[in-house]
Amino acid sequence: MAARLLRLCRSLRAAGPRPFSAQASPLQTEQHGTKRPEPSSAKSLTDIGTRRIFSSDHDIFRESARKFFQEEVLPFHTEWEKDGQVSRELWEKAGQQGLLGVAIAEKHGGIGADILSSAVVWEEQMYVNCTGPGFSLHSDIVMPYIANYGSEEQIKHFIPEMVAGKCIGAIAMTEPGAGSDLQGIRTYAKKDGSDWILNGSKVFITNGWMSDVVIVVAVTNREARSPAHGISLFLVENGTKGFIKGRKLNKIGLKAQDTAELFFEDVRLPASALLGKENKGFYYLMAELPQERLLIADMALASCEFMFEETRNYVKQRKAFGKTIAHLQTVQHKLAEMKTQICVGRVFMDNCLQLHADKRLDSSTASMAKYWSSDLQNNIATQCVQLHGGWGYMWEYPIAKAFVDARVQPIYGGTNEIMKELIARDIVSDK
């Protein structure tokens, strides 16, 4: 892990960990050759120190992240659900803790760790069942576009502030008439001298209400031979004339996550607002979407692990017919089935994480992970609510929140039906 991240975690242990980077394999950095237990044989599916893809350095970072989410997020999440957003103070605390821009290169102002360290943050957020903070989208969807395709000026302007939690990022793809079909977008940017004039609207934008900078996907060439050849990306800052934030959307789940409509009415943007090259936006999106789908998949699996442990604890305490319901064979078999499904999913998910760390994760495999894990998440949520009985339907029970939060997972990031299309296309292709 980069020196910057180590400094943030070192206070957790007297002996500092050995550094590792995005180039180092965690399988090679494990100290003393110790064999890490698999989740299936660990005391809990959320235990620290399990899973072969991680090292002891990742464990130290996980301890730090777990402490942060338990102390700085969990106690306040109910209030944030009422507000429809988390606090700005939380973002800055996350920046101070080194939880933002974890996998962004240190030369760009990021933490400089590997993608497995980012996965630690994704998972620890799900282990406290708090979906409000949009850290993962900010750090591992928005920031990579700027770091990978931005100019030196754009990187210097945005990345350090985003890592500090002082500049919140969002990406605006979805429109009222265009969701999974990105080629159907209507938001249009027209050249006016060296400037661009942006018009259009976006919907379902995570971090949209609190955003300080938004990557806007827009058509820039209506005469292109296909829509994919005429799409560009723009960096639009909050406060820009004509950039209007609509209402925070009232969702059935993800209550503390600010999701908004965005409107662009004759927004004049300088040439420097163009992110990357003109008309190359669709290709940038295709290159970055596998990481977005991996992120959704890993958070889905982590949610499954949380829900299982929450339900295991509940059935061991809940009494019926003179004994805890954990003594009922039908409950025991259901727990056995769920744990097996989750552990099987975790093996595939960890394989995908390692492939991505090695820069070998392809779009089809990422699509498999996203569709299968989010479907499993909804299946596990339904079974866990059932095992909670009537209490599982009560909002104050964590399992109820996990249940409604799970429902959007097969929808965003490309619907699971689209994921199957992408997988099938790869199967039947002659190439």
Side-chain angles (χ1 to χ4, degrees), residues 58-109:
H58 290 112
D59 295 343
I60 294 175
F61 183 52
R62 188 180 290 277
E63 289 174 357
S64 174
R66 183 165 295 188
K67 185 173 186 288
F68 177 86
F69 281 109
Q70 289 177 343
E71 295 182 359
E72 303 293 346
V73 178
L74 183 58
F76 311 103
H77 203 259
T78 298
E79 192 60 36
W80 292 333
E81 288 172 349
K82 297 174 185 175
D83 296 339
Q85 65 182 76
V86 303
S87 68
R88 278 200 167 265
E89 181 186 14
L90 174 69
W91 280 89
E92 294 193 24
K93 286 182 178 180
Q96 293 164 6
Q97 190 71 16
L99 299 179
L100 302 177
V102 172
I104 299 298
E106 202 165 4
K107 67 180 180 180
H108 293 325

Side-chain angles (χ1 to χ4, degrees), residues 133-373:
F135 297 160
S136 57
L137 179 132
H138 168 90
S139 296
D140 301 300
I141 297 177
V142 177
M143 289 177 71
Y145 281 99
I146 300 174
N148 294 338
Y149 310 113
S151 65
E152 184 177 349
E153 178 186 354
Q154 289 169 335
I155 291 170
K156 286 182 178 178
H157 181 69
F158 290 109
I159 296 295
E161 290 292 290
M162 294 177 82
V163 170
K166 296 178 180 179
C167 175
I168 299 172
I171 185 165
M173 298 188 206
T174 303
E175 298 182 4
S180 294
D181 180 15
L182 291 174
Q183 297 189 60
I185 66 171
R186 294 290 178 265
T187 297
Y188 180 55
K190 181 182 179 180
K191 271 270 183 76
D192 184 35
S194 62
D195 291 348
W196 293 90
I197 306 298
L198 179 68
N199 281 282
S201 64
K202 302 289 182 176
V203 72
F204 309 140
I205 307 305
T206 301
N207 292 347
W209 183 260
M210 297 184 71
S211 63
D212 298 298
V213 63
V214 181
I215 297 174
V216 180
V217 182
V219 173
T220 45
N221 183 3
R222 287 175 169 169
E223 307 303 319
R225 65 180 186 269
S226 76
H229 291 88
I231 289 175
S232 301
L233 308 182
F234 293 90
L235 291 165
V236 182
E237 296 187 68
N238 186 35
T240 303
K241 185 177 180 181
F243 173 26
I244 303 165
K245 296 179 180 180
R247 61 194 173 93
K248 283 185 283 188
L249 300 174
N250 188 19
K251 311 179 297 294
I252 65 169
L254 306 181
K255 291 289 189 180
Q257 189 179 102
D258 70 294
T259 310
E261 299 171 304
L262 303 179
F263 301 95
F264 307 92
E265 299 177 358
D266 292 326
V267 176
R268 181 173 290 274
L269 299 171
S272 59
L274 179 67
L275 180 60
K277 295 181 179 180
E278 183 180 338
N279 298 324
K280 294 294 183 182
F282 187 79
Y283 302 98
Y284 300 152
L285 293 170
M286 292 304 101
E288 299 300 323
L289 278 171
Q291 178 159 303
E292 178 177 349
R293 287 161 184 165
L294 179 74
L295 177 160
I296 293 170
D298 192 37
M299 294 182 85
L301 244 299
S303 177
C304 290
E305 290 161 342
F306 164 80
M307 289 187 287
F308 176 82
E309 295 301 338
E310 187 75 14
T311 302
R312 186 206 332 225
N313 292 336
Y314 179 81
V315 299
K316 290 171 70 175
Q317 297 171 14
R318 175 67 172 167
K319 289 187 175 181
F321 310 110
K323 56 186 177 182
T324 63
I325 61 174
H327 284 87
L328 299 174
Q329 188 181 62
T330 185
V331 171
Q332 293 175 357
H333 285 189
K334 186 58 67 177
L335 291 172
E337 291 169 4
M338 287 195 295
K339 183 175 182 181
T340 301
Q341 291 167 350
I342 294 168
C343 289
V344 169
R346 176 48 73 192
V347 172
F348 178 60
M349 190 65 250
D350 280 2
N351 182 58
C352 289
L353 286 168
Q354 187 62 62
L355 284 172
H356 194 46
D358 296 338
K359 302 188 185 305
R360 295 194 298 123
L361 181 68
D362 58 46
S363 176
S364 179
T365 306
S367 298
M368 292 179 194
K370 192 269 179 182
Y371 123 67
W372 199 87
S373 296

